[in-house]
Each structure stands twice: as structure tokens, then as C-alpha cells.
Amino acid sequence: MKKRIVMDRGDAVKLAASMHCTREMVSKALNFKKDTDLARRIRHVAKSQYGGMEIGSR
């Protein structure tokens, strides 16, 4: 199973708005398909403020 961050439905749209990026970027960041500075910040905010849980292993 691949590593990813799971959040409640609808929170990804709120996260995209708060980070001033697209929903697609949030999806790629949460599924570890992007590893940019923005993606790392998205993952951090998802876990700390939106209750995202990291699952899987790489």
C-alpha cells in the first residue's frame, strides 16, 4: 500500500483555498506524488489543522 494522507470529505477544498492552490495540487500532495515545498506545507497543515491521518508505507 502506498503512503498517503486521508482527510474528511470536503476538507481538501478548504485546504486548497487556505493554501491558495488548486484542488489538484492538494490531491497530488496528499498522495505523495509531489514533493515540493508547497506539497510539504500542504501535508503538514492537513495533519495539524484538518485532522489528516497518514496511512500506508513506502
Side-chain angles (χ1 to χ4, degrees):
M1 180 188 296
K2 291 196 176 200
K3 191 173 174 180
R4 62 190 175 122
I5 295 175
V6 181
M7 297 176 22
D8 287 338
R9 195 175 287 267
D11 282 345
V13 176
K14 295 175 190 173
L15 179 57
S18 70
M19 298 296 289
H20 304 289
C21 66
T22 63
R23 171 66 181 86
E24 182 180 0
M25 180 60 193
V26 171
S27 175
K28 288 180 180 182
L30 296 180
N31 288 306
F32 288 86
K33 292 184 179 183
K34 289 278 189 179
D35 193 31
T36 61
D37 187 44
L38 176 60
R40 290 182 189 133
R41 285 185 294 171
I42 290 170
R43 288 191 288 266
H44 174 75
V45 171
K47 288 195 266 183
S48 64
Q49 295 180 11
Y50 289 92
M53 293 177 32
E54 193 170 316
I55 62 170
S57 61
R58 210 164 222 194

